[in-house]
């Protein structure tokens, strides 16, 4: 009887461990960053990281594409930073979601005054993306990007457009946002 009980318990433990491993794998897969659609990257490939420089034919075109990629990827992070979170949580969220895209100076400015940082104010509408209007070369290995932050509702409808201007600088071969200025929301 004892031997049968041990065998049964051993099988139960093995089944339980297998179920835990399967659930852990499933949860890890659900929590993984979603891949870009074929619209965001050709052939369903992952896009380059936010600050990697693309390499098309011309240096100027490569710079424009790389700067645009940083702005677009930064724009997708805006919804992740809840400006109404407790201050320490907000600061950590700013570090986690914006640190890869901005200069150390801008990150420090936002950490010192989190109310100056962009992000999500309410549950709906929220900032969904930045649509780029124009990219202009500027002196000193920098560029200026103008566009609009697109805020959407839970129904995926555009609720507002917020004019935005960003200055990007190249640091260690990577584009980083050094200045960020947003205007007042405009209904579409």
């Amino acid at each position: 009887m004892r031997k049968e009980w041990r065998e049964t318990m051993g099988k139960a433990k093995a089944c339980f461990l297998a179920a835990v491993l399967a659930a852990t794998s499933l949860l890890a897969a659900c929590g993984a960053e979603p891949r870009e659609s074929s619209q965001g990257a050709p052939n369903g490939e992952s896009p380059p990281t936010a600050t990697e420089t693309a390499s098309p034919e011309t240096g100027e075109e490569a710079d424009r594409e790389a700067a645009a990629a940083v702005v677009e990827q930064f724009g997708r992070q805006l919804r992740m930073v809840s400006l109404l979170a407790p201050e320490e949580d907000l600061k950590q969220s700013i570090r986690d979601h914006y640190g890869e895209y901005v200069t150390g100076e801008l990150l420090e400015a936002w950490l010192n005054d989190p109310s100056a940082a962009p992000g999500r104010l309410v549950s709906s509408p929220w900032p969904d993306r930045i649509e780029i209007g124009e990219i202009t070369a500027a002196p000193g290995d920098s560029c200026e990007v103008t566009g609009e932050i697109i805020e959407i509702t839970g129904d995926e409808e555009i609720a507002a457009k917020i004019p935005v201007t960003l200055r990007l600088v190249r640091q260690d071969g990577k584009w980083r946002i050094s200045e960020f200025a947003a205007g007042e929301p405009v209904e579409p």
Side-chain angles (χ1 to χ4, degrees):
M1 180 78 165
R2 226 174 189 189
K3 184 177 180 180
E4 288 176 12
W5 183 81
R6 282 187 192 158
E7 288 176 7
T8 302
M9 289 308 293
K11 289 178 184 177
K13 285 181 185 178
C15 287
F16 176 76
L17 287 175
V20 168
L21 287 173
T24 303
S25 298
L26 181 61
L27 287 174
C30 289
E33 288 291 322
R35 293 180 61 97
E36 289 289 321
S37 69
S38 59
Q39 294 174 345
N43 303 322
E45 297 172 359
S46 294
T49 61
T51 55
E52 287 179 354
T53 302
S55 57
E57 297 91 34
T58 68
E60 186 176 315
E61 186 62 27
D63 285 345
R64 293 174 67 79
E65 288 183 17
V70 171
V71 171
E72 289 169 350
Q73 291 175 18
F74 173 77
R76 288 192 290 271
Q77 297 299 308
L78 296 174
R79 76 184 86 170
M80 305 302 291
V81 177
S82 173
L83 300 175
L84 299 178
E87 187 171 336
E88 285 308 309
D89 294 341
L90 174 56
K91 287 180 177 182
Q92 187 61 47
S93 187
I94 289 169
R95 276 187 209 95
D96 292 346
H97 297 289
Y98 297 162
E100 177 180 351
Y101 306 100
V102 303
T103 62
E105 294 82 8
L106 183 56
L107 183 63
E108 275 305 309
W110 286 343
L111 293 174
N112 289 332
D113 182 11
S115 67
R120 182 180 187 146
L121 281 171
V122 293
S123 61
S124 182
W126 63 85
D128 182 58
R129 63 190 179 276
I130 295 176
E131 288 185 355
I132 295 172
E134 187 174 5
I135 301 174
T136 308
D141 214 9
S142 65
C143 66
E144 184 173 279
V145 178
T146 57
E148 296 175 316
I149 297 172
I150 306 300
E151 290 196 334
I152 63 170
T153 64
D155 296 332
E156 300 291 317
E157 293 189 22
I158 296 174
K161 295 181 177 186
I162 303 169
V164 65
T165 303
L166 304 95
R167 176 160 307 261
L168 283 78
V169 296
R170 191 188 323 263
Q171 291 182 339
D172 301 322
K174 298 177 182 178
W175 287 104
R176 303 252 186 217
I177 300 165
S178 63
E179 296 176 29
F180 179 94
E184 292 299 316
V186 177
E187 289 186 30

